[in-house]
Amino acid sequence: FRNSPFVHGRAAGLASRLAKSPSPADRLRQAYRLVLGREPASAELDQALTFVESSRVRLGSDAAALASYCRVLMASNEFVYLN
């Protein structure tokens, strides 16, 4: 599921949409709102910022790093399962 071309395409599209936000924190807050329907907790936002920054260094691209985090959100139990 997570590595399917479909999921990669949706994550890239979401990352492109998020790129319009002015700051990395704003992008990640918007990602949480769109994917999970809520604001991230402070600790979640800190972890997300750390993940995206380390991914940016590793992948060499802001867009790829953000798309990678979008895939993380889409693979979360909170996204996959209904309560």
Side-chain angles (χ1 to χ4, degrees), residues 4 20 22 25 37-38 61 67 69-70:
S4 74
K20 297 173 184 145
R38 65 173 178 85
S61 162
Y69 196 73
C70 289

Side-chain angles (χ1 to χ4, degrees), residues 10 12 14 25 29 31 36 39 44 67 69 75:
R10 300 296 67 81
L14 178 57
R29 283 187 197 95
L36 301 179
E39 293 291 324
E44 290 173 322
Y69 196 73

Side-chain angles (χ1 to χ4, degrees), residues 11-81:
L14 178 57
S16 176
R17 179 177 175 183
L18 297 172
K20 297 173 184 145
S21 294
S23 73
D26 288 337
R27 290 180 197 119
L28 292 165
R29 283 187 197 95
Q30 182 70 358
Y32 267 82
R33 284 191 295 270
L34 292 171
V35 176
L36 301 179
R38 65 173 178 85
E39 293 291 324
S42 179
E44 290 173 322
L45 183 58
D46 290 342
Q47 290 172 344
L49 287 165
T50 300
F51 178 93
V52 169
E53 178 56 26
S54 65
S55 295
R56 185 189 63 75
V57 170
R58 185 173 46 83
L59 299 171
S61 162
D62 288 336
L66 191 53
S68 180
Y69 196 73
C70 289
R71 287 192 305 277
V72 167
L73 289 177
M74 288 185 223
S76 70
N77 283 343
E78 190 172 346
F79 179 76
V80 175
Y81 298 103

